[in-house]
Amino acid sequence: MSADTPPFIVAIPARYGSTRLPAKPLREIADVPMVVRVAQRALQAGATQVVVAVDDQRIADALAGQGVEVCMTRSDHASGSDRLAECAVHYGWPDDAIVVNLQGDEPFAPAAGIREVARALADDDAPVATLATPITEAHELFDPNVVKLVRMSNGRALYFSRAPLPWARDAFAVHRDVLPAEVPFLRHIGIYAYRAGFLKRYTQLSRTPLEQAESLEQLRVLEHGHAIAVRLTPEPFPPGIDTLADLERAEQWLARG
């Protein structure tokens, strides 16, 4: 691990129930449960502590012997961030501790990206940091399943949206098949770093109109007046696993590797 990477904790929310892919954390990719692969990525990144926040004993059992801690959390949390807030209280993490929220469906998250989001938070006084990557294809910009973001000149997030953002008015009035090169289109990568003190307070923030309209919980942070630092990822993040088709693609990707 690079000397400029601060000490950080990785916390992985892993919920058993999933509408699109039931028992998702236990789905196997090349005979290894998905949640185990995610935990292995966190260990490879050099985290000082890796905690998996679970809501089902079957997930805990799958992680036995993996060198990570398991925190049994309530089953009624609305989001992964809420689940991790319970962990922050349970472990009594210091308010200034850096906690990386690595999603439980990101089995191929690059170690360099995990370290980069921790560095992004350490280098900023924002309570939250996240990553982004340039969008180069028009179909990606117009896909509502791809979350876009714009950021300010200081590198902090200005807004997140499922809509095409920013809107290149003049270029898109002519055609929408090719993106204008001079516009900074960015795709959000759903990995976050929090200061533990803010993570503990996060659950006390009321849900907000834009958060509910876009179904993007990071907007709750912005709407309540808190900053989110954004950096570009140093390595590509392969897509997460949301559906059975994603799982099959992951198997094929590993077989080719």
Side-chain angles (χ1 to χ4, degrees):
M1 186 168 62
S2 172
D4 65 344
T5 301
F8 63 94
I9 300 161
V10 171
I12 303 165
R15 184 172 64 92
Y16 186 84
S18 172
T19 303
R20 289 185 288 181
L21 192 60
K24 183 161 65 170
L26 301 182
R27 294 287 185 141
E28 294 188 347
I29 303 173
D31 301 322
V32 178
M34 188 188 313
V35 69
V36 172
R37 288 191 176 275
V38 177
Q40 290 171 344
R41 292 285 174 158
L43 291 168
Q44 291 166 10
T48 57
Q49 181 183 17
V50 178
V51 175
V52 185
V54 308
D55 65 350
D56 191 286
Q57 187 60 42
R58 286 168 287 190
I59 306 174
D61 293 343
L63 290 161
Q66 295 298 322
V68 301
E69 298 182 48
V70 175
C71 182
M72 189 64 67
T73 58
R74 302 197 328 255
S75 61
D76 60 346
H77 285 303
S79 71
S81 300
D82 292 309
R83 194 172 303 283
L84 298 194
E86 182 179 345
C87 289
V89 173
H90 174 78
Y91 286 102
W93 289 328
D95 285 352
D96 60 351
I98 294 175
V99 183
V100 174
N101 178 351
L102 177 61
Q103 298 298 323
D105 56 7
E106 295 278 358
F108 307 125
I114 298 170
R115 291 191 291 267
E116 184 66 15
V117 76
R119 277 195 292 266
L121 190 62
D123 292 345
D124 199 296
D125 60 2
V128 184
T130 193
L131 298 180
T133 191
I135 293 175
T136 58
E137 300 293 335
H139 68 85
E140 191 175 11
L141 182 71
F142 290 95
D143 183 349
N145 295 310
V146 174
V147 178
K148 278 71 66 173
L149 69 89
V150 290
R151 57 180 182 168
M152 296 182 283
S153 58
N154 64 2
R156 290 182 170 184
L158 187 60
Y159 192 65
F160 298 81
S161 182
R162 297 184 183 278
L165 193 73
W167 186 259
R169 187 194 65 173
D170 294 342
F172 290 158
V174 178
H175 61 75
R176 300 179 187 178
D177 298 325
V178 179
L179 299 180
E182 69 278 7
V183 180
F185 298 109
L186 293 173
R187 175 173 69 88
H188 179 226
I189 295 172
I191 184 171
Y192 298 92
Y194 297 92
R195 300 191 193 280
F198 180 78
L199 188 55
K200 294 172 195 174
R201 296 193 301 273
Y202 175 81
T203 54
Q204 300 171 20
L205 299 178
S206 59
R207 296 192 69 194
T208 53
L210 293 175
E211 173 196 6
Q212 295 181 73
E214 296 257 20
S215 191
L216 297 173
E217 66 177 273
Q218 61 268 42
L219 291 175
R220 187 189 315 179
V221 177
L222 296 183
E223 284 186 87
H224 280 282
H226 302 286
I228 300 177
V230 182
R231 278 195 181 177
L232 297 183
T233 180
E235 292 184 20
F237 270 66
I241 311 297
D242 286 321
T243 66
L244 191 57
D246 293 338
L247 198 64
E248 292 169 352
R249 280 194 292 271
E251 291 270 9
Q252 295 166 3
W253 185 79
L254 274 181
R256 290 195 301 269

